[in-house]
PDB file of all heavy atoms in Angstrom:
ATOM      1  N   PHE A 851       2.427-173.740  -2.331  1.00 88.00           N
ATOM      2  CA  PHE A 851       1.238-174.381  -2.909  1.00 88.00           C
ATOM      3  C   PHE A 851       1.516-174.856  -4.337  1.00 88.00           C
ATOM      4  O   PHE A 851       1.082-175.943  -4.734  1.00 88.00           O
ATOM      5  CB  PHE A 851       0.062-173.404  -2.891  1.00 88.00           C
ATOM      6  CG  PHE A 851      -1.233-174.025  -3.333  1.00 88.00           C
ATOM      7  CD1 PHE A 851      -1.854-175.008  -2.579  1.00 88.00           C
ATOM      8  CD2 PHE A 851      -1.832-173.624  -4.528  1.00 88.00           C
ATOM      9  CE1 PHE A 851      -3.049-175.578  -2.985  1.00 88.00           C
ATOM     10  CE2 PHE A 851      -3.027-174.186  -4.944  1.00 88.00           C
ATOM     11  CZ  PHE A 851      -3.639-175.174  -4.168  1.00 88.00           C
ATOM     12  N   ARG A 852       2.251-174.065  -5.110  1.00 88.00           N
ATOM     13  CA  ARG A 852       2.562-174.470  -6.479  1.00 88.00           C
ATOM     14  C   ARG A 852       3.497-175.669  -6.508  1.00 88.00           C
ATOM     15  O   ARG A 852       3.417-176.514  -7.402  1.00 88.00           O
ATOM     16  CB  ARG A 852       3.182-173.304  -7.243  1.00 88.00           C
ATOM     17  CG  ARG A 852       2.193-172.199  -7.580  1.00 88.00           C
ATOM     18  CD  ARG A 852       2.835-171.106  -8.435  1.00 88.00           C
ATOM     19  NE  ARG A 852       1.894-170.038  -8.746  1.00 88.00           N
ATOM     20  CZ  ARG A 852       2.185-168.962  -9.473  1.00 88.00           C
ATOM     21  NH1 ARG A 852       3.414-168.826  -9.978  1.00 88.00           N
ATOM     22  NH2 ARG A 852       1.278-168.044  -9.716  1.00 88.00           N
ATOM     23  N   ARG A 853       4.381-175.741  -5.531  1.00 87.00           N
ATOM     24  CA  ARG A 853       5.320-176.869  -5.491  1.00 87.00           C
ATOM     25  C   ARG A 853       4.649-178.149  -5.029  1.00 87.00           C
ATOM     26  O   ARG A 853       4.960-179.241  -5.517  1.00 87.00           O
ATOM     27  CB  ARG A 853       6.484-176.564  -4.552  1.00 87.00           C
ATOM     28  CG  ARG A 853       7.513-175.607  -5.093  1.00 87.00           C
ATOM     29  CD  ARG A 853       8.687-175.538  -4.114  1.00 87.00           C
ATOM     30  NE  ARG A 853       9.669-174.534  -4.485  1.00 87.00           N
ATOM     31  CZ  ARG A 853      10.750-174.266  -3.775  1.00 87.00           C
ATOM     32  NH1 ARG A 853      10.981-174.940  -2.644  1.00 87.00           N
ATOM     33  NH2 ARG A 853      11.599-173.334  -4.160  1.00 87.00           N
ATOM     34  N   THR A 854       3.750-178.059  -4.044  1.00 87.00           N
ATOM     35  CA  THR A 854       3.224-179.246  -3.378  1.00 87.00           C
ATOM     36  C   THR A 854       1.755-179.520  -3.673  1.00 87.00           C
ATOM     37  O   THR A 854       1.312-180.665  -3.539  1.00 87.00           O
ATOM     38  CB  THR A 854       3.384-179.106  -1.852  1.00 87.00           C
ATOM     39  OG1 THR A 854       2.554-178.032  -1.375  1.00 87.00           O
ATOM     40  CG2 THR A 854       4.839-178.822  -1.479  1.00 87.00           C
ATOM     41  N   GLY A 855       0.984-178.501  -4.028  1.00 86.00           N
ATOM     42  CA  GLY A 855      -0.457-178.674  -4.207  1.00 86.00           C
ATOM     43  C   GLY A 855      -1.187-178.950  -2.911  1.00 86.00           C
ATOM     44  O   GLY A 855      -2.339-179.393  -2.923  1.00 86.00           O
ATOM     45  N   SER A 856      -0.568-178.674  -1.774  1.00 85.00           N
ATOM     46  CA  SER A 856      -1.128-179.022  -0.467  1.00 85.00           C
ATOM     47  C   SER A 856      -1.693-177.789   0.237  1.00 85.00           C
ATOM     48  O   SER A 856      -0.940-176.861   0.554  1.00 85.00           O
ATOM     49  CB  SER A 856      -0.050-179.661   0.417  1.00 85.00           C
ATOM     50  OG  SER A 856      -0.499-179.768   1.750  1.00 85.00           O
ATOM     51  N   PRO A 857      -3.017-177.764   0.537  1.00 78.00           N
ATOM     52  CA  PRO A 857      -3.554-176.675   1.342  1.00 78.00           C
ATOM     53  C   PRO A 857      -2.931-176.589   2.730  1.00 78.00           C
ATOM     54  O   PRO A 857      -2.741-175.498   3.272  1.00 78.00           O
ATOM     55  CB  PRO A 857      -5.057-177.002   1.431  1.00 78.00           C
ATOM     56  CG  PRO A 857      -5.339-177.863   0.248  1.00 78.00           C
ATOM     57  CD  PRO A 857      -4.074-178.669   0.058  1.00 78.00           C
ATOM     58  N   LEU A 858      -2.594-177.749   3.311  1.00 79.00           N
ATOM     59  CA  LEU A 858      -2.003-177.766   4.646  1.00 79.00           C
ATOM     60  C   LEU A 858      -0.639-177.072   4.640  1.00 79.00           C
ATOM     61  O   LEU A 858      -0.366-176.201   5.469  1.00 79.00           O
ATOM     62  CB  LEU A 858      -1.866-179.200   5.146  1.00 79.00           C
ATOM     63  CG  LEU A 858      -1.143-179.393   6.485  1.00 79.00           C
ATOM     64  CD1 LEU A 858      -1.838-178.613   7.592  1.00 79.00           C
ATOM     65  CD2 LEU A 858      -1.038-180.863   6.832  1.00 79.00           C
ATOM     66  N   LEU A 859       0.221-177.454   3.702  1.00 86.00           N
ATOM     67  CA  LEU A 859       1.554-176.850   3.654  1.00 86.00           C
ATOM     68  C   LEU A 859       1.489-175.378   3.261  1.00 86.00           C
ATOM     69  O   LEU A 859       2.283-174.563   3.734  1.00 86.00           O
ATOM     70  CB  LEU A 859       2.450-177.627   2.686  1.00 86.00           C
ATOM     71  CG  LEU A 859       2.819-179.048   3.117  1.00 86.00           C
ATOM     72  CD1 LEU A 859       3.703-179.718   2.072  1.00 86.00           C
ATOM     73  CD2 LEU A 859       3.513-179.042   4.472  1.00 86.00           C
ATOM     74  N   SER A 860       0.522-175.032   2.418  1.00 84.00           N
ATOM     75  CA  SER A 860       0.349-173.623   2.058  1.00 84.00           C
ATOM     76  C   SER A 860      -0.049-172.795   3.275  1.00 84.00           C
ATOM     77  O   SER A 860       0.483-171.694   3.506  1.00 84.00           O
ATOM     78  CB  SER A 860      -0.716-173.498   0.965  1.00 84.00           C
ATOM     79  OG  SER A 860      -0.993-172.146   0.684  1.00 84.00           O
ATOM     80  N   SER A 861      -0.973-173.321   4.086  1.00 76.00           N
ATOM     81  CA  SER A 861      -1.373-172.619   5.303  1.00 76.00           C
ATOM     82  C   SER A 861      -0.214-172.502   6.283  1.00 76.00           C
ATOM     83  O   SER A 861      -0.019-171.459   6.919  1.00 76.00           O
ATOM     84  CB  SER A 861      -2.542-173.362   5.974  1.00 76.00           C
ATOM     85  OG  SER A 861      -3.684-173.346   5.156  1.00 76.00           O
ATOM     86  N   LEU A 862       0.581-173.572   6.384  1.00 81.00           N
ATOM     87  CA  LEU A 862       1.733-173.537   7.290  1.00 81.00           C
ATOM     88  C   LEU A 862       2.791-172.549   6.814  1.00 81.00           C
ATOM     89  O   LEU A 862       3.453-171.899   7.629  1.00 81.00           O
ATOM     90  CB  LEU A 862       2.348-174.933   7.406  1.00 81.00           C
ATOM     91  CG  LEU A 862       1.641-175.913   8.341  1.00 81.00           C
ATOM     92  CD1 LEU A 862       2.299-177.283   8.249  1.00 81.00           C
ATOM     93  CD2 LEU A 862       1.671-175.409   9.768  1.00 81.00           C
ATOM     94  N   ALA A 863       2.955-172.421   5.499  1.00 85.00           N
ATOM     95  CA  ALA A 863       3.926-171.458   4.986  1.00 85.00           C
ATOM     96  C   ALA A 863       3.533-170.038   5.362  1.00 85.00           C
ATOM     97  O   ALA A 863       4.389-169.188   5.620  1.00 85.00           O
ATOM     98  CB  ALA A 863       4.047-171.593   3.474  1.00 85.00           C
ATOM     99  N   LEU A 864       2.220-169.766   5.404  1.00 78.00           N
ATOM    100  CA  LEU A 864       1.744-168.422   5.715  1.00 78.00           C
ATOM    101  C   LEU A 864       1.704-168.162   7.210  1.00 78.00           C
ATOM    102  O   LEU A 864       2.047-167.076   7.676  1.00 78.00           O
ATOM    103  CB  LEU A 864       0.353-168.222   5.106  1.00 78.00           C
ATOM    104  CG  LEU A 864      -0.217-166.807   5.107  1.00 78.00           C
ATOM    105  CD1 LEU A 864       0.719-165.836   4.379  1.00 78.00           C
ATOM    106  CD2 LEU A 864      -1.592-166.798   4.456  1.00 78.00           C
ATOM    107  N   PHE A 865       1.321-169.178   7.999  1.00 72.00           N
ATOM    108  CA  PHE A 865       1.111-168.971   9.433  1.00 72.00           C
ATOM    109  C   PHE A 865       1.980-169.862  10.313  1.00 72.00           C
ATOM    110  O   PHE A 865       1.840-169.837  11.530  1.00 72.00           O
ATOM    111  CB  PHE A 865      -0.368-169.198   9.780  1.00 72.00           C
ATOM    112  CG  PHE A 865      -1.279-168.164   9.194  1.00 72.00           C
ATOM    113  CD1 PHE A 865      -1.991-168.422   8.034  1.00 72.00           C
ATOM    114  CD2 PHE A 865      -1.418-166.924   9.788  1.00 72.00           C
ATOM    115  CE1 PHE A 865      -2.829-167.464   7.480  1.00 72.00           C
ATOM    116  CE2 PHE A 865      -2.247-165.959   9.251  1.00 72.00           C
ATOM    117  CZ  PHE A 865      -2.964-166.228   8.098  1.00 72.00           C
ATOM    118  N   GLY A 866       2.861-170.662   9.699  1.00 72.00           N
ATOM    119  CA  GLY A 866       3.716-171.547  10.481  1.00 72.00           C
ATOM    120  C   GLY A 866       4.560-170.837  11.527  1.00 72.00           C
ATOM    121  O   GLY A 866       4.659-171.295  12.667  1.00 72.00           O
ATOM    122  N   PRO A 867       5.209-169.695  11.182  1.00 78.00           N
ATOM    123  CA  PRO A 867       5.986-168.991  12.209  1.00 78.00           C
ATOM    124  C   PRO A 867       5.160-168.594  13.421  1.00 78.00           C
ATOM    125  O   PRO A 867       5.676-168.539  14.540  1.00 78.00           O
ATOM    126  CB  PRO A 867       6.495-167.750  11.451  1.00 78.00           C
ATOM    127  CG  PRO A 867       6.567-168.177  10.032  1.00 78.00           C
ATOM    128  CD  PRO A 867       5.384-169.087   9.850  1.00 78.00           C
ATOM    129  N   SER A 868       3.865-168.335  13.221  1.00 71.00           N
ATOM    130  CA  SER A 868       2.997-168.018  14.354  1.00 71.00           C
ATOM    131  C   SER A 868       2.867-169.211  15.287  1.00 71.00           C
ATOM    132  O   SER A 868       2.822-169.060  16.512  1.00 71.00           O
ATOM    133  CB  SER A 868       1.609-167.605  13.849  1.00 71.00           C
ATOM    134  OG  SER A 868       1.695-166.479  13.006  1.00 71.00           O
ATOM    135  N   LEU A 869       2.806-170.412  14.726  1.00 72.00           N
ATOM    136  CA  LEU A 869       2.695-171.620  15.548  1.00 72.00           C
ATOM    137  C   LEU A 869       3.923-171.796  16.426  1.00 72.00           C
ATOM    138  O   LEU A 869       3.816-172.186  17.596  1.00 72.00           O
ATOM    139  CB  LEU A 869       2.507-172.832  14.632  1.00 72.00           C
ATOM    140  CG  LEU A 869       2.368-174.194  15.295  1.00 72.00           C
ATOM    141  CD1 LEU A 869       1.162-174.218  16.225  1.00 72.00           C
ATOM    142  CD2 LEU A 869       2.229-175.286  14.238  1.00 72.00           C
TER     143      LEU A 869
END
Side-chain angles (χ1 to χ4, degrees):
F851 186 67
R852 288 184 181 180
R853 284 187 186 178
T854 66
S856 169
L858 175 58
L859 292 180
S860 175
S861 296
L862 280 175
L864 190 57
F865 293 100
S868 301
L869 180 60

